[in-house]
């Protein structure tokens, strides 16, 4: 296999945690779909703000606050460039993808939907993408429609057309599934949705960290992601929204810094994005996210995606050699493998991985409707990122072999 595209040894030096152990074993971190490790440059950027530039933003009448504001707004510019948004005002900082997705549902959905309107979702959604619209549908009387997944669990344009109608007002779907690692045909779906006057909200929590994104090319109306899944700190994420839509939407949180004029009976709001950033924003987090974006861009998203995919291919080969493993997403093109060891409950298997120093996820992955579709209570998930190596895949395979051996005959 080819690991020449990235200088992994050099990259691993950037992540101090990789020198740690777990249960006395070298740490093998294969849970980047849940959150990623942080390079030193991100920690340094957050520390720089905390130790040298601490002050509040947008309210300063002194140099320190102007410096902090510049760092914070500089991070917004980096997100804008990362997504190729038209303008910086289209980027709202949030505490993560979940808050961004809820913002769209509550601010756009609650105000624009009426009984009988249709919202298209899928069983492939993370709860953070799906539940906000389930709530909005319950409150407004709108109807949720599910794109039927194809036999391998993909969202296809053909199946999307089966649920699209002139009543469709919103399409809320993932760009990359956190369980299956499939890439959804967002551009084609968006074009079709726009033909009937619907807006499209994309959950890109598993896409932005791993591939180049161009919101102008996709033409989606909203796109949400989290910083912590792309080497940034926890507690920060962003919502991209087309400016004319964002600026026509009501805030959902009220407080300091989002107002224009406050009266006793009514008040007016700042323009987007500030009307959505009530209170002191995630200053340190946004600055850390900016550093993470610089870091990933310097390495290259195409190179990262290729590396993850190659690791996945290698791991799949080895799992197939082992036998007795069910793979749920054989044809994914990203760095995620969802699988189970036949006859072994994923939570039992997880104890073996843990003892071997291997971090993999076991559970329903906040995607219970998909577990229903797969007819599984839970699955195991290994997810790769730029710092993972072929040797770590070998350790993962060895742990899988031990898990198979240990539980063989225990239950069956
Ligand atoms: N959508 C997807 C596809 C995800 O994988 C996740 C995180 N697991 C989220 C949304 C929610 O992200 P966060 O918890 O960072 O808000």
């Amino acid at each position: 296999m080819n690991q020449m595209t990235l200088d992994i040894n050099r990259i691993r030096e950037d992540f101090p945690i990789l020198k740690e152990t777990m249960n006395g074993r070298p740490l093998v971190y294969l849970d980047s779909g849940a959150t990623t490790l942080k390079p030193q440059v991100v920690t340094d950027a957050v520390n720089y703000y905390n130790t040298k530039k601490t002050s509040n933003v947008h309210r300063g009448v002194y140099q320190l606050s102007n410096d902090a504001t510049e760092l914070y707004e500089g991070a917004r510019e980096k997100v804008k460039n990362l997504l190729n948004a038209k303008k910086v005002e289209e980027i709202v900082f949030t505490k993560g993808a979940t808050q961004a997705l809820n913002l769209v549902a509550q601010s756009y959905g609650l105000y624009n939907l009426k009984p009988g309107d249709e919202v298209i979702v899928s069983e492939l959604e993370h709860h953070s993408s799906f539940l906000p619209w389930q709530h909005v549908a319950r409150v407004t009387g709108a109807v949720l429609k599910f794109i039927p997944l194809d036999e391998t669990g993909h969202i296809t344009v053909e199946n999307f057309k089966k649920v699209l109608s002139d009543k469709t007002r919103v399409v809320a779907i993932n760009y990359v599934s956190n369980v299956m690692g499939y890439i959804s045909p967002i551009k084609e779906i968006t074009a079709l949705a726009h033909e009937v006057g619907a807006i499209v909200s994309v959950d890109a929590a598993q896409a932005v960290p791993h591939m180049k994104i161009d919101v102008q090319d996709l033409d989606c109306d909203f796109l949400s992601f989290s910083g912590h899944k792309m080497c940034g700190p926890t507690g920060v994420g962003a919502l991209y929204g087309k400016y004319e839509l964002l600026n026509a939407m009501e805030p959902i949180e009220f407080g300091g810094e989002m107002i224009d004029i406050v009266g006793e009976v009514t008040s007016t709001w700042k323009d987007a994005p500030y009307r959505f950033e009530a209170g002191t924003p995630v200053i340190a987090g946004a600055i850390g996210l900016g550093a993470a974006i610089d870091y990933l861009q310097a390495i290259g998203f195409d190179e990262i995606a290729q590396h993850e995919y190659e690791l996945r291919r290698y791991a799949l080969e080895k799992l197939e050699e082992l036998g007795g493993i069910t793979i749920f997403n054989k044809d994914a093109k990203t760095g995620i493998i969802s699988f189970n060891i036949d006859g072994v409950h994923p939570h039992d298997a997880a104890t073996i991985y843990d003892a071997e120093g291997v971090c993999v996820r076991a559970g329903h992955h906040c995607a219970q409707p998909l577990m229903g579709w797969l007819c599984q209570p839970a699955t195991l998930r290994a997810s790769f990122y730029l710092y993972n190596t072929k040797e770590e895949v070998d350790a993962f395979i060895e742990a899988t072999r031990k898990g198979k051996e240990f539980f063989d005959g225990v239950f069956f």
Side-chain angles (χ1 to χ4, degrees):
M1 77 167 277
N2 171 19
Q3 282 195 3
M4 300 308 288
T5 45
L6 294 185
D7 184 351
I8 303 300
N9 289 337
R10 203 201 55 70
I11 286 173
R12 286 175 71 84
E13 288 296 314
D14 297 335
F15 292 82
I17 198 173
L18 288 171
K19 298 197 169 59
E20 299 293 313
T21 55
M22 186 170 82
N23 294 323
R25 301 297 184 104
L27 181 69
V28 175
Y29 189 78
L30 304 183
D31 197 17
S32 294
T35 196
T36 59
L37 308 180
K38 319 302 175 201
Q40 188 62 43
V41 283
V42 167
T43 309
D44 290 347
V46 173
N47 280 347
Y48 176 67
Y49 166 72
N50 283 334
T51 55
K52 306 268 192 210
K53 296 293 175 189
T54 296
S55 53
N56 217 323
V57 294
H58 301 139
R59 25 191 134 198
V61 283
Y62 49 86
Q63 188 57 44
L64 193 62
S65 172
N66 291 343
D67 290 351
T69 305
E70 237 170 66
L71 288 170
Y72 180 67
E73 290 302 330
R76 198 188 305 276
E77 181 83 30
K78 288 175 199 221
V79 175
K80 174 222 160 216
N81 293 334
L82 177 76
L83 304 180
N84 193 30
K86 263 193 209 144
K87 46 192 201 171
V88 82
E89 290 82 4
E90 295 182 317
I91 307 300
V92 182
F93 279 121
T94 65
K95 78 180 169 74
T98 301
Q99 193 182 36
L101 292 160
N102 274 276
L103 198 166
V104 177
Q106 296 202 16
S107 179
Y108 185 88
L110 283 181
Y111 286 90
N112 286 288
L113 295 184
K114 55 180 192 328
D117 285 348
E118 292 177 357
V119 177
I120 295 182
V121 293
S122 85
E123 286 164 302
L124 206 53
E125 300 314 310
H126 188 281
H127 295 162
S128 294
S129 164
F130 161 66
L131 289 178
W133 291 104
Q134 190 184 61
H135 171 72
V136 166
R138 213 171 43 227
V139 173
T140 61
V143 179
L144 280 186
K145 298 194 85 180
F146 288 80
I147 306 169
L149 301 180
D150 77 0
E151 65 281 0
T152 51
H154 285 85
I155 290 174
T156 63
V157 174
E158 204 176 75
N159 283 352
F160 173 70
K161 285 184 187 160
K162 292 182 187 156
V163 284
L164 183 68
S165 83
D166 56 7
K167 293 193 194 130
T168 307
R169 288 287 146 266
V170 173
V171 179
I173 54 169
N174 68 86
Y175 200 160
V176 174
S177 154
N178 63 311
V179 181
M180 305 299 258
Y182 296 154
I183 301 171
S184 306
I186 297 295
K187 187 173 171 172
E188 295 81 352
I189 283 179
T190 300
L192 289 165
H194 285 169
E195 278 176 22
V196 301
I199 61 106
V200 178
S201 172
V202 179
D203 171 4
Q206 298 289 347
V208 176
H210 305 279
M211 56 206 256
K212 274 192 195 138
I213 304 284
D214 183 337
V215 289
Q216 292 190 60
D217 180 52
L218 292 173
D219 200 27
C220 58
D221 300 283
F222 300 100
L223 183 137
S224 303
F225 70 97
S226 291
H228 70 95
K229 291 184 196 287
M230 52 183 300
C231 296
T234 52
V236 65
L239 169 67
Y240 156 81
K242 280 186 182 161
Y243 191 69
E244 55 283 12
L245 283 171
L246 268 188
N247 211 35
M249 281 157 49
E250 287 288 324
I252 56 164
E253 282 187 344
F254 302 84
E257 290 304 305
M258 47 76 71
I259 53 89
D260 183 15
I261 306 235
V262 174
E264 288 192 4
V265 180
T266 57
S267 301
T268 53
W269 321 127
K270 278 186 178 156
D271 287 339
Y274 302 109
R275 65 172 56 182
F276 300 110
E277 294 181 4
T280 298
V282 279
I283 307 169
I287 293 168
L289 173 57
I293 291 171
D294 287 346
Y295 179 77
L296 293 174
Q297 281 179 330
I299 291 169
F301 281 95
D302 289 344
E303 288 75 7
I304 293 170
Q306 190 191 341
H307 175 68
E308 293 169 9
Y309 183 59
E310 282 170 2
L311 286 178
R312 179 185 190 279
R313 219 174 40 193
Y314 177 69
L316 268 190
E317 255 172 51
K318 296 278 166 189
L319 284 174
E320 270 163 17
E321 268 169 41
L322 267 186
I325 309 284
T326 301
I327 311 282
F328 298 107
N329 62 340
K330 273 199 177 146
D331 47 356
K333 303 280 185 291
T334 52
I336 291 176
I337 303 182
S338 273
F339 66 103
N340 272 333
I341 303 173
D342 296 346
V344 182
H345 193 283
H347 286 122
D348 292 332
T351 61
I352 303 290
Y353 289 111
D354 177 35
E356 294 294 313
V358 179
C359 306
V360 294
R361 181 93 188 263
H364 55 61
H365 314 288
C366 303
Q368 285 185 6
L370 183 63
M371 292 300 115
W373 187 88
L374 288 169
C375 301
Q376 299 292 321
T379 71
L380 292 162
R381 181 188 68 185
S383 48
F384 305 116
Y385 208 22
L386 71 165
Y387 34 68
N388 291 126
T389 63
K390 193 179 159 203
E391 290 68 31
E392 290 182 315
V393 173
D394 290 337
F396 158 68
I397 295 296
E398 180 54 16
T400 309
R401 194 190 58 73
K402 285 191 179 156
K404 260 171 69 84
E405 222 170 71
F406 183 82
F407 287 106
D408 192 27
V410 172
F411 295 112
F412 296 93

